[in-house]
């Protein structure tokens, strides 16, 4: 099968190559998915799991891209809950080959059904951004209706999902980003916008929850905005500062079939919009994933026409 592989961590995305790789086989509790669309997150190349297995042994050449949508073509021994021919989407295991390929082997529990009225490109755009937003807001942030939440990077992949979900659940959403993102963030449902380049972050006042996708100085300053009993949630590693009287949570997103189903249902009925900016073929993926200028929105690789 055709796949994008990486072998040299120092080379970054410039070291990606289109290559022929053996078609994967289904282990116990696995399914084989014929990939129709997938997404690559650049930070994958910084994760140890991209380069080594769980025992720390080299596993290159490895196939990146862990978000996918496609069709189940084979079931491993003991697999339940899915069937051959079923449309699915989900999040592949970090320590196994990903989905920038024509086929991927993965555990069935990491997949959810994808309805026929949802395009594969949309399905592939949802797992990391949707699950990260859902888990950050509700599982770790314990967001309740009527509370206030500051969402950093609110026009980005994760931030746009968090902004929409928090608004739907009745929170007062303040979004942050570049000046050019203001209208986009307000259109997503934020009640206010903070220009991180020119605005005064401290003017936001106290909030019940900070959802931080940036870290650094912005993260430190934001921790001081959390009200007593509030929560600072980070997806960029351990927070460098803590709220005076609140809690800090940093987490790595996990696959969850029920949450994926909640997210895709919101896409189907119009409550949730995705943030797709560019679609490329697998043959053109290396070029697409090495853009010469900044793009808005996610890049999705359409593996099958």
């Amino acid at each position: 099968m055709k796949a994008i592989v990486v072998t040299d961590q120092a080379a970054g995305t410039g070291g990606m190559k289109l290559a022929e790789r053996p078609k994967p086989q289904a282990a116990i509790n696995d399914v084989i998915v014929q990939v129709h669309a997938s997404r690559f997150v650049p930070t994958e190349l910084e994760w140890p799991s991209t380069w080594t297995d769980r025992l720390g042994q080299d596993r290159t050449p490895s196939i990146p891209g862990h978000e996918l949508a496609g069709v189940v073509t084979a079931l491993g021994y003991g697999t339940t809950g899915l069937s051959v021919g079923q449309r699915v989407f989900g999040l592949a295991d970090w320590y196994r080959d990903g989905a920038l390929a024509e086929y991927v082997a993965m555990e069935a529990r990491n997949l959810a059904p994808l309805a026929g009225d949802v395009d594969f490109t949309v399905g592939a755009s949802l797992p990391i951004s949707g699950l990260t937003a859902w888990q950050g807001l509700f599982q770790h942030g314990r967001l309740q209706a009527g509370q206030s939440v500051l969402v950093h990077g609110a026009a980005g992949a994760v931030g746009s999902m968090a902004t929409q979900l928090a608004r739907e659940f009745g929170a007062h959403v303040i979004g942050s980003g570049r000046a050019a993102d203001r209208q986009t963030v307000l259109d997503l449902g934020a009640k206010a916008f903070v220009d991180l380049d020119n605005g005064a972050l401290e003017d936001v006042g106290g909030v019940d929850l900070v959802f931080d996708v940036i870290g650094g100085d912005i993260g430190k300053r934001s921790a001081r905005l959390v009200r007593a009993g509030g929560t600072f949630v980070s997806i960029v590693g351990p927070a460098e500062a803590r709220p005076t009287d609140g809690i800090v949570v940093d987490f790595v997103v996990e696959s969850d079939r029920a949450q994926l189903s909640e997210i895709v249902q919101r896409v189907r009925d119009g409550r949730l919009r995705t943030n797709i900016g560019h679609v490329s073929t697998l043959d053109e993926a290396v070029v697409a994933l090495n853009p010469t200028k900044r793009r808005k929105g996610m890049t999705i690789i359409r593996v099958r026409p």
Side-chain angles (χ1 to χ4, degrees), residues 37-61:
S38 62
R39 178 177 174 240
F40 165 78
V41 179
T43 53
E44 288 182 37
L45 299 186
E46 302 170 13
W47 305 343
S49 56
T50 298
W51 309 101
T52 62
D53 61 21
R54 284 183 168 84
L55 299 176
Q57 298 175 333
D58 181 85
R59 70 176 191 88
T60 59

Side-chain angles (χ1 to χ4, degrees), residues 122 125-126 129-130 156-165 167 183-190 263 266-276 298:
V122 173
S125 75
L126 296 174
S129 56
V158 174
S160 62
M161 290 285 184
T163 297
Q164 294 175 84
L165 289 170
R167 174 210 62 197
Q183 195 56 52
T184 298
V185 173
L186 295 176
D187 289 345
L188 289 170
I263 291 161
R266 284 165 169 76
V267 172
R268 295 182 69 196
D269 62 26
R271 284 178 288 170
L272 196 59
R273 285 186 283 155
T274 58
N275 191 23
I276 298 172
M298 307 177 192

Side-chain angles (χ1 to χ4, degrees), residues 32-100:
I32 300 298
V33 178
Q34 183 182 55
V35 181
H36 283 243
S38 62
R39 178 177 174 240
F40 165 78
V41 179
T43 53
E44 288 182 37
L45 299 186
E46 302 170 13
W47 305 343
S49 56
T50 298
W51 309 101
T52 62
D53 61 21
R54 284 183 168 84
L55 299 176
Q57 298 175 333
D58 181 85
R59 70 176 191 88
T60 59
S62 57
I63 302 172
H66 292 270
E67 297 175 90
L68 70 139
V71 175
V72 175
T73 59
L75 305 176
Y77 179 79
T79 300
T80 60
L82 296 174
S83 58
V84 172
Q86 187 170 9
R87 299 172 95 251
V88 292
F89 75 116
L91 188 60
D93 189 301
W94 309 126
Y95 285 91
R96 299 176 66 177
D97 279 340
L100 286 179

